[in-house]
Structure formats: C-alpha cells, structure tokens
Amino acid sequence: MRFINPYPYGRPPRNEDLQRALASASRGQVVDGDDRVLVELDRTALQVLGGALEIDEHKASFDERGRAPHGLPQLGIVLAAEGGPVGRVDLYPENRSIHWRGLDWKQWCGWAELRDDRALLEGLAAHGVPEPLEDVTRWSSEEGERARCEWRKAIPPNLKGPWCAPIERLLDPWHTLEAAAWIEQAGANMRKARGLLEWYGAGSGPFARRPDYELLPRRLLGRFLGEDLQRALQSRPSDQALAGAGRHLLDLGPLSPGARAQLAPLDGRLREAIIDAVRRLASSEEADLLRERLFPAPFALPEPTSLVGASSTLHLRRPVAAGDAAVYAVDFQDIVRLESGARTVLGKLLGDAVLAVREGRLLVGKGGGVQELDARGNVVAVHPAATPEQAAAARAITAAWSAPAAAPPLGEPLGPTPEEREAFEALVHLGLGAPPSARVVGRDHLEAGGRAIVRRGVSGAPPRRIPLPGRAVLHAFSASHLALALDVGDACRIAWVDEGSDALRLSPPLRIAPHALRFLLAMGDAALLGVDLGAGEVVLHIGIERAGGGQPERP
C-alpha cells in the first residue's frame, strides 16, 4: 500500500503538525473499529494523551518506505473544535504506529512510528479504554507465543503449492501485499478456499481482537461471500472451517444492504451451523453477535414516533433540510423528498448540495448558483451566485458565530452547525436571513460533559443551569425551541427547551442506540431524527405535544 504524494509540500511527518492539531481541538472521542464511541475526551484529557502521541521523527516514515501497517486500526481518536472536525488518529498497537488524517492538506497525513507506544496505551487505559494495552500485553506473553505457534501449525498444506514461502513471511503484516498477489490462485479452487477457512478458524483463541499475523487469510477471504462461501462449505465442512466462516462474517462489521444481498445464498441451516461452531470454538458473545447479523430482527418503530421515510441507501451524514412535513436528503445519487413513509426523487445529485426549504420549495446549490425545485422536482427559479462582496460579508458573520463567545466555565457555545453556516453563506444573497440558532450565539452553552444547558444571565444576572437527564449528543434550533438528543444508556430521549423559557419537556425513552443517531432537525412543533440501522436508514418524527404532554416533565 503506498500513498500517492502523501506530503503535498515534500514534508515528512512532524510532531509540530500533530501537536498544533491537538491544541486546536476542544474535545475528542475514542472510537472502535466500527466507529462506535467508547469514551468522550475533554481538552484536559487530550493534553494528557497528546504527550504520548509523539512520533519518532528520526525514523523513516512508513510512506517513505513504500509500505504501511496493513493490520486493521484497533482504535481511532477523533478530534473536533467548536468550528467542526479537526482530524483523526488511527492506532495500530502491534506495529507501534499511528496514522494521522488531518483535514488541512497542508498538514502531514500519513503513517509514523510512535516514540513511546506503551505510554499511549497506558494513557488510553487510564481514560477508560484498557483493551489495547491488555491485547499487546497478551501478544507479548507466553500465551501469545503459544497462540502464534499453533497458528503456524494450522497453515493448511494445500495453501503451500507453487506460492510456497517461508512461514514467517506469511505471518508478517509487512509482506501481506506480496502474499495477496496469490489471491486468484488461492481462491480459484474451492478446496483451497476451505483451507483458508480452516486456517482462519484455528485462530479462535485468547484474543478479543484479531492480531495482525492473522491478516493474510483475512485478506484472502475478502472476496468470498454468498455463493462462493456456500460452495466452499459444501460436503460436510469441519468445525474449524465453519468457525473460520463465522470469524470472516464478523470481520465484515454491521452488514450493509448490499452485503446482506450477497449473503442471500447462505441457507438457514448453514447459518445455524456457522453460529454453533463459533459458539463452540470461540465464544458465546461472538456467536450471539453473529446471530444478530445473520438473522436480523425487523426494525420496530419506537413509540412515540412516526415514520417520515426510510431507505437502504440514504446518506444521513450528508446535508439535509426540513420543510413543514417533509425531509429533503441525499439518497445515493438522488435528491429525495421523504414524507409519511413515501420517497419521491426530485433530481440527481451531481455535486448538488441540499441547502434549505423556503415556502415549500427546495433550494439546491448548483454550479455556484441556487436552483428552486417544487415538490415534483421541477426547476421553478434559478438564482445567480452571491457576489464576492456578499460572500465576504457572509463569511465574516459566520466567523463571528464560530468564535468562542463565553468564559470556559459556561461550557461549549451552542449555535449554528457547520451545515447551517455553509447554507447561510450560500443563500445570504437571497435574503433568507440567519438560521434560528444564530440568536443564541453567546447565550446558550452546553456544560462540560453535556449534562446541562447553561444560559448566560441578562443584564448581569448569574447564568442559569437547566439540568438534563442524559448526555446531549445532538442539538438543533427552530424559531420556537431548542431540541436535544440525549444519551440515556442503551436508549435515547429527545428534550425540548422552549424559547424564552427554561422549562424542559422530555420524550419517553426511545429504543434507539445513541451511536446510531445521525442528525436532528427542530421544527415548529416537533423534531426529526435520522437513525442509521446498519442495514438501512430511517427518519422519525417526534411531536412535542405527544411526547411531552400538557405539563413539562421535570428531570
């Protein structure tokens, strides 16, 4: 694996760049391989971990050697500031390395070796993420050495034909690409494919996560799904082959609609046999997780919500806009209108951006200008782009929104989101005005930890604190209220704070994992919630009156 021009200005990795990015971040998240949030990090925690993220500048970077750590990143540290994302650090504990991805391409982006990898692992353990340190400790123990010896013995003879190589090269992640050049030869014969499955199944052992020396069969098995997997497991497969298939399916992570379609040829009896083998040779926890993925339960609409729309290809991380009763979003390459469970295509994406809704018409960025589309997708008006003077004035306003507007004790300022600022800059020449959240700049703040809203006092009065019964993970404003999505464990709740009042209304707990939330939009008397189900996405409508009732609920 080789980056093309990894350093745009010919500059190798430097600690200075990484430390500058860390200093600009106000918060962070430690995420696992599936991007599930494990721990929230405040500025103090980032400063502590920053010292352990120093790289060895005297060693050639992985990119300069034309190779990189091919194992899967075990963890990621996502950095963000008040103005939006800053960058991400991926951790490869076995290779003592990190991969930094900055949003500013003038900064270094690439792999480098840590100066003291143990310090970073110990720092993560101190902040509530002990698994990487535990794994590396096991990998270097007698137990880890025994596992490696057993793994060497399990290399199937039918994989050593014309591409026979020293065993150590088959186990070294640095030579994975060289070994992967034999994928077609290893995969053309189903007997060899079963050998790969048996080899991978032999790895079920002491490690909760896959060590890097198992990367070769994992990579070779990447092409086997559906009919190929079904054929490889015909004619009385061994328990190890079934367990290897189970590990391979678990490595895929949450199954997308496309992956589910590819697995359709696997009949129910074979799926049960794979789950049973994983339970016997690996663990009950992995078997239960595999059952959830191979026999998914249909999505149950949580009360008290109604379905606005659903799709297997909806990109809820893309900009969305809400009208009186509909949501406009990007669905694969289509701009779609979602309303009462129905989906209507308004046009193709082709670089467009969904910006806002005005009087029932959708405003879409197009070639620097703005098009107005009606409910059927017809273009009813075309507006030119903003003049340079208008664009400069809009950027100056949004820069003021992004600036910290309060003393640190008040917490993180609430205000326009990056999407709202972008839409304002694009539409200011149409006279649409600022988003509702612009009114709270300098007034409303999210307390550190997200457990309360703090409002700056008027005319010298002390700040007022509105406690929340859970950690706020998303927020949005309408003309009449502030809406927040709260993390209450394995469920979430929606909270509303009315404009001009400190009264808090709460929805009942919704049976939705907080990490599945993708966006929140506040409307006149409701909130719209985007939820990623792994196998598809849905948009839900939560009404204030239905959820909160006539009297505000006390936390």
Side-chain angles (χ1 to χ4, degrees), residues 326-367:
V327 171
Y328 298 86
V330 177
D331 188 350
F332 192 49
Q333 293 184 342
D334 296 329
I335 300 174
V336 297
R337 173 187 172 97
L338 305 173
E339 183 177 6
S340 301
R343 172 183 178 276
T344 305
V345 178
L346 301 184
K348 290 296 182 182
L349 177 62
L350 300 178
D352 302 346
V354 177
L355 299 175
V357 177
R358 179 175 67 173
E359 299 176 353
R361 292 178 177 178
L362 176 64
L363 301 178
V364 177
K366 186 79 170 182

Short mmCIF file of all heavy atoms in Angstrom, two decimals, residues 326-367:
data_model
loop_
_atom_site.label_atom_id
_atom_site.label_comp_id
_atom_site.label_asym_id
_atom_site.label_seq_id
_atom_site.Cartn_x
_atom_site.Cartn_y
_atom_site.Cartn_z
N ALA A 326 -41.93 17.43 5.57
CA ALA A 326 -41.07 16.55 4.79
C ALA A 326 -39.60 16.83 5.09
O ALA A 326 -39.25 17.88 5.63
CB ALA A 326 -41.33 16.72 3.29
N VAL A 327 -38.78 15.85 4.73
CA VAL A 327 -37.33 15.98 4.84
C VAL A 327 -36.75 15.80 3.44
O VAL A 327 -37.17 14.92 2.69
CB VAL A 327 -36.76 14.91 5.79
CG1 VAL A 327 -35.24 14.90 5.73
CG2 VAL A 327 -37.21 15.17 7.21
N TYR A 328 -35.78 16.64 3.11
CA TYR A 328 -35.08 16.54 1.84
C TYR A 328 -33.66 16.08 2.14
O TYR A 328 -32.98 16.64 3.02
CB TYR A 328 -35.06 17.88 1.12
CG TYR A 328 -36.44 18.39 0.78
CD1 TYR A 328 -37.18 19.11 1.71
CD2 TYR A 328 -37.01 18.13 -0.47
CE1 TYR A 328 -38.46 19.59 1.40
CE2 TYR A 328 -38.28 18.59 -0.78
CZ TYR A 328 -39.01 19.32 0.16
OH TYR A 328 -40.26 19.77 -0.14
N ALA A 329 -33.19 15.06 1.44
CA ALA A 329 -31.88 14.50 1.75
C ALA A 329 -31.28 13.91 0.48
O ALA A 329 -31.89 13.92 -0.60
CB ALA A 329 -32.01 13.42 2.83
N VAL A 330 -30.05 13.41 0.62
CA VAL A 330 -29.34 12.76 -0.48
C VAL A 330 -29.44 11.26 -0.29
O VAL A 330 -29.04 10.71 0.73
CB VAL A 330 -27.86 13.20 -0.50
CG1 VAL A 330 -27.12 12.46 -1.60
CG2 VAL A 330 -27.77 14.70 -0.70
N ASP A 331 -30.00 10.57 -1.27
CA ASP A 331 -30.16 9.12 -1.25
C ASP A 331 -29.38 8.55 -2.43
O ASP A 331 -29.84 8.61 -3.57
CB ASP A 331 -31.64 8.77 -1.35
CG ASP A 331 -31.92 7.29 -1.14
OD1 ASP A 331 -30.95 6.52 -1.11
OD2 ASP A 331 -33.08 6.91 -1.00
N PHE A 332 -28.19 8.01 -2.13
CA PHE A 332 -27.26 7.55 -3.16
C PHE A 332 -26.94 8.71 -4.10
O PHE A 332 -26.28 9.65 -3.69
CB PHE A 332 -27.82 6.34 -3.89
CG PHE A 332 -26.80 5.64 -4.76
CD1 PHE A 332 -25.55 5.31 -4.26
CD2 PHE A 332 -27.08 5.32 -6.07
CE1 PHE A 332 -24.60 4.69 -5.05
CE2 PHE A 332 -26.14 4.69 -6.86
CZ PHE A 332 -24.90 4.38 -6.36
N GLN A 333 -27.42 8.71 -5.36
CA GLN A 333 -27.16 9.83 -6.26
C GLN A 333 -28.40 10.66 -6.51
O GLN A 333 -28.41 11.51 -7.40
CB GLN A 333 -26.61 9.31 -7.59
CG GLN A 333 -25.23 8.68 -7.48
CD GLN A 333 -24.67 8.26 -8.83
OE1 GLN A 333 -25.41 8.12 -9.79
NE2 GLN A 333 -23.37 8.08 -8.89
N ASP A 334 -29.44 10.45 -5.72
CA ASP A 334 -30.70 11.17 -5.91
C ASP A 334 -30.92 12.18 -4.79
O ASP A 334 -30.54 11.94 -3.63
CB ASP A 334 -31.89 10.20 -5.93
CG ASP A 334 -31.84 9.24 -7.11
OD1 ASP A 334 -31.31 9.65 -8.16
OD2 ASP A 334 -32.32 8.11 -6.96
N ILE A 335 -31.54 13.30 -5.14
CA ILE A 335 -32.10 14.20 -4.13
C ILE A 335 -33.55 13.77 -3.93
O ILE A 335 -34.32 13.70 -4.89
CB ILE A 335 -32.04 15.67 -4.59
CG1 ILE A 335 -30.59 16.08 -4.84
CG2 ILE A 335 -32.66 16.58 -3.55
CD1 ILE A 335 -30.45 17.46 -5.43
N VAL A 336 -33.91 13.46 -2.69
CA VAL A 336 -35.21 12.85 -2.45
C VAL A 336 -35.99 13.68 -1.43
O VAL A 336 -35.43 14.39 -0.60
CB VAL A 336 -35.08 11.40 -1.95
CG1 VAL A 336 -34.42 10.53 -2.99
CG2 VAL A 336 -34.30 11.34 -0.64
N ARG A 337 -37.30 13.54 -1.53
CA ARG A 337 -38.24 14.10 -0.55
C ARG A 337 -38.86 12.93 0.19
O ARG A 337 -39.40 12.00 -0.43
CB ARG A 337 -39.32 14.91 -1.27
CG ARG A 337 -40.46 15.42 -0.37
CD ARG A 337 -41.54 16.04 -1.22
NE ARG A 337 -42.72 16.36 -0.44
CZ ARG A 337 -43.00 17.55 0.06
NH1 ARG A 337 -42.15 18.55 -0.17
NH2 ARG A 337 -44.09 17.77 0.75
N LEU A 338 -38.79 12.94 1.51
CA LEU A 338 -39.35 11.89 2.36
C LEU A 338 -40.51 12.47 3.15
O LEU A 338 -40.35 13.48 3.85
CB LEU A 338 -38.28 11.35 3.31
CG LEU A 338 -36.98 10.83 2.68
CD1 LEU A 338 -35.96 10.48 3.75
CD2 LEU A 338 -37.26 9.63 1.80
N GLU A 339 -41.66 11.81 3.05
CA GLU A 339 -42.85 12.30 3.75
C GLU A 339 -43.81 11.15 3.98
O GLU A 339 -44.16 10.44 3.04
CB GLU A 339 -43.54 13.41 2.94
CG GLU A 339 -44.73 14.01 3.66
CD GLU A 339 -45.35 15.16 2.86
OE1 GLU A 339 -44.92 15.39 1.71
OE2 GLU A 339 -46.27 15.80 3.38
N SER A 340 -44.19 10.95 5.25
CA SER A 340 -45.16 9.91 5.62
C SER A 340 -44.77 8.54 5.07
O SER A 340 -45.62 7.77 4.63
CB SER A 340 -46.56 10.29 5.13
OG SER A 340 -46.95 11.53 5.70
N GLY A 341 -43.49 8.23 5.10
CA GLY A 341 -43.02 6.94 4.63
C GLY A 341 -42.80 6.84 3.15
O GLY A 341 -42.25 5.85 2.67
N ALA A 342 -43.21 7.86 2.38
CA ALA A 342 -43.05 7.83 0.92
C ALA A 342 -41.74 8.51 0.52
O ALA A 342 -41.26 9.41 1.21
CB ALA A 342 -44.22 8.53 0.25
N ARG A 343 -41.20 8.07 -0.61
CA ARG A 343 -39.94 8.60 -1.13
C ARG A 343 -40.16 9.07 -2.55
O ARG A 343 -40.59 8.31 -3.41
CB ARG A 343 -38.87 7.50 -1.07
CG ARG A 343 -37.55 7.82 -1.75
CD ARG A 343 -36.64 6.60 -1.65
NE ARG A 343 -35.36 6.76 -2.31
CZ ARG A 343 -35.13 6.58 -3.58
NH1 ARG A 343 -36.13 6.22 -4.38
NH2 ARG A 343 -33.92 6.75 -4.10
N THR A 344 -39.85 10.35 -2.81
CA THR A 344 -40.01 10.93 -4.13
C THR A 344 -38.67 11.47 -4.60
O THR A 344 -38.01 12.23 -3.87
CB THR A 344 -41.04 12.07 -4.11
OG1 THR A 344 -42.27 11.59 -3.56
CG2 THR A 344 -41.28 12.61 -5.51
N VAL A 345 -38.24 11.09 -5.81
CA VAL A 345 -36.98 11.57 -6.36
C VAL A 345 -37.21 12.91 -7.04
O VAL A 345 -38.08 13.06 -7.89
CB VAL A 345 -36.41 10.55 -7.37
CG1 VAL A 345 -35.12 11.09 -7.98
CG2 VAL A 345 -36.15 9.21 -6.70
N LEU A 346 -36.40 13.92 -6.63
CA LEU A 346 -36.53 15.26 -7.20
C LEU A 346 -35.48 15.55 -8.26
O LEU A 346 -35.64 16.46 -9.06
CB LEU A 346 -36.43 16.31 -6.09
CG LEU A 346 -37.46 16.23 -4.97
CD1 LEU A 346 -37.28 17.39 -4.01
CD2 LEU A 346 -38.88 16.23 -5.54
N GLY A 347 -34.37 14.83 -8.24
CA GLY A 347 -33.32 15.08 -9.21
C GLY A 347 -32.06 14.33 -8.83
O GLY A 347 -31.99 13.68 -7.80
N LYS A 348 -31.05 14.43 -9.68
CA LYS A 348 -29.78 13.77 -9.44
C LYS A 348 -28.87 14.66 -8.61
O LYS A 348 -28.99 15.88 -8.61
CB LYS A 348 -29.09 13.43 -10.77
CG LYS A 348 -29.78 12.32 -11.54
CD LYS A 348 -29.74 11.00 -10.78
CE LYS A 348 -30.38 9.88 -11.56
NZ LYS A 348 -30.39 8.61 -10.79
N LEU A 349 -27.93 14.00 -7.91
CA LEU A 349 -27.02 14.73 -7.04
C LEU A 349 -26.03 15.55 -7.87
O LEU A 349 -26.07 16.76 -7.86
CB LEU A 349 -26.27 13.76 -6.13
CG LEU A 349 -25.22 14.36 -5.21
CD1 LEU A 349 -25.84 15.34 -4.24
CD2 LEU A 349 -24.49 13.26 -4.45
N LEU A 350 -25.12 14.88 -8.57
CA LEU A 350 -24.19 15.54 -9.49
C LEU A 350 -23.52 16.76 -8.86
O LEU A 350 -23.41 17.82 -9.47
CB LEU A 350 -24.92 15.95 -10.77
CG LEU A 350 -25.56 14.81 -11.57
CD1 LEU A 350 -26.29 15.35 -12.78
CD2 LEU A 350 -24.51 13.79 -11.97
N GLY A 351 -23.10 16.64 -7.63
CA GLY A 351 -22.39 17.73 -6.97
C GLY A 351 -23.29 18.74 -6.31
O GLY A 351 -22.83 19.73 -5.75
N ASP A 352 -24.60 18.53 -6.35
CA ASP A 352 -25.52 19.48 -5.72
C ASP A 352 -25.42 19.38 -4.21
O ASP A 352 -24.96 18.39 -3.65
CB ASP A 352 -26.97 19.18 -6.13
CG ASP A 352 -27.16 19.24 -7.63
OD1 ASP A 352 -26.27 19.76 -8.32
OD2 ASP A 352 -28.19 18.76 -8.10
N ALA A 353 -25.88 20.40 -3.51
CA ALA A 353 -25.96 20.39 -2.06
C ALA A 353 -27.35 20.82 -1.65
O ALA A 353 -27.87 21.84 -2.11
CB ALA A 353 -24.92 21.33 -1.45
N VAL A 354 -28.02 20.05 -0.80
CA VAL A 354 -29.33 20.41 -0.28
C VAL A 354 -29.12 21.49 0.76
O VAL A 354 -28.45 21.26 1.78
CB VAL A 354 -30.03 19.18 0.33
CG1 VAL A 354 -31.37 19.57 0.92
CG2 VAL A 354 -30.22 18.11 -0.73
N LEU A 355 -29.67 22.67 0.55
CA LEU A 355 -29.33 23.82 1.40
C LEU A 355 -30.45 24.22 2.34
O LEU A 355 -30.22 24.42 3.53
CB LEU A 355 -28.95 25.01 0.51
CG LEU A 355 -27.72 24.79 -0.39
CD1 LEU A 355 -27.52 25.97 -1.31
CD2 LEU A 355 -26.49 24.56 0.46
N ALA A 356 -31.66 24.39 1.84
CA ALA A 356 -32.74 24.90 2.70
C ALA A 356 -34.08 24.69 2.01
O ALA A 356 -34.15 24.32 0.83
CB ALA A 356 -32.53 26.39 3.01
N VAL A 357 -35.15 24.94 2.76
CA VAL A 357 -36.51 24.89 2.23
C VAL A 357 -37.14 26.25 2.46
O VAL A 357 -37.07 26.81 3.57
CB VAL A 357 -37.34 23.78 2.92
CG1 VAL A 357 -38.76 23.79 2.39
CG2 VAL A 357 -36.69 22.43 2.68
N ARG A 358 -37.76 26.80 1.41
CA ARG A 358 -38.43 28.10 1.53
C ARG A 358 -39.80 28.01 0.90
O ARG A 358 -39.93 27.73 -0.29
CB ARG A 358 -37.61 29.21 0.85
CG ARG A 358 -38.28 30.58 0.92
CD ARG A 358 -37.42 31.68 0.36
NE ARG A 358 -37.22 31.55 -1.08
CZ ARG A 358 -36.60 32.49 -1.80
NH1 ARG A 358 -36.11 33.56 -1.24
NH2 ARG A 358 -36.45 32.30 -3.10
N GLU A 359 -40.83 28.18 1.72
CA GLU A 359 -42.22 28.18 1.26
C GLU A 359 -42.53 26.93 0.44
O GLU A 359 -43.13 26.99 -0.63
CB GLU A 359 -42.50 29.45 0.44
CG GLU A 359 -42.33 30.72 1.25
CD GLU A 359 -42.53 31.97 0.40
OE1 GLU A 359 -42.67 31.81 -0.84
OE2 GLU A 359 -42.54 33.07 0.96
N GLY A 360 -42.09 25.79 0.94
CA GLY A 360 -42.38 24.53 0.28
C GLY A 360 -41.50 24.20 -0.88
O GLY A 360 -41.68 23.15 -1.52
N ARG A 361 -40.53 25.06 -1.19
CA ARG A 361 -39.63 24.81 -2.32
C ARG A 361 -38.24 24.50 -1.78
O ARG A 361 -37.78 25.11 -0.81
CB ARG A 361 -39.58 26.02 -3.26
CG ARG A 361 -40.90 26.23 -3.99
CD ARG A 361 -40.85 27.45 -4.87
NE ARG A 361 -42.09 27.63 -5.62
CZ ARG A 361 -42.32 28.65 -6.44
NH1 ARG A 361 -41.39 29.59 -6.61
NH2 ARG A 361 -43.47 28.75 -7.09
N LEU A 362 -37.57 23.58 -2.47
CA LEU A 362 -36.24 23.14 -2.07
C LEU A 362 -35.20 23.99 -2.77
O LEU A 362 -35.25 24.19 -3.98
CB LEU A 362 -36.04 21.67 -2.44
CG LEU A 362 -34.66 21.07 -2.17
CD1 LEU A 362 -34.36 21.06 -0.68
CD2 LEU A 362 -34.59 19.66 -2.73
N LEU A 363 -34.24 24.50 -2.01
CA LEU A 363 -33.14 25.29 -2.55
C LEU A 363 -31.91 24.40 -2.62
O LEU A 363 -31.48 23.83 -1.62
CB LEU A 363 -32.87 26.50 -1.67
CG LEU A 363 -34.06 27.46 -1.50
CD1 LEU A 363 -33.69 28.59 -0.57
CD2 LEU A 363 -34.51 28.01 -2.85
N VAL A 364 -31.34 24.29 -3.82
CA VAL A 364 -30.21 23.40 -4.07
C VAL A 364 -29.08 24.18 -4.71
O VAL A 364 -29.30 24.94 -5.65
CB VAL A 364 -30.64 22.24 -5.01
CG1 VAL A 364 -29.46 21.35 -5.33
CG2 VAL A 364 -31.76 21.44 -4.37
N GLY A 365 -27.86 24.00 -4.18
CA GLY A 365 -26.71 24.64 -4.80
C GLY A 365 -26.40 24.00 -6.13
O GLY A 365 -26.36 22.77 -6.25
N LYS A 366 -26.14 24.82 -7.14
CA LYS A 366 -25.93 24.28 -8.49
C LYS A 366 -24.94 25.18 -9.22
O LYS A 366 -25.27 26.32 -9.56
CB LYS A 366 -27.26 24.23 -9.25
CG LYS A 366 -27.19 23.55 -10.61
CD LYS A 366 -27.20 22.05 -10.48
CE LYS A 366 -27.38 21.37 -11.82
NZ LYS A 366 -27.44 19.91 -11.70
N GLY A 367 -23.73 24.68 -9.45
CA GLY A 367 -22.76 25.43 -10.22
C GLY A 367 -22.46 26.80 -9.66
O GLY A 367 -22.26 27.75 -10.43
#
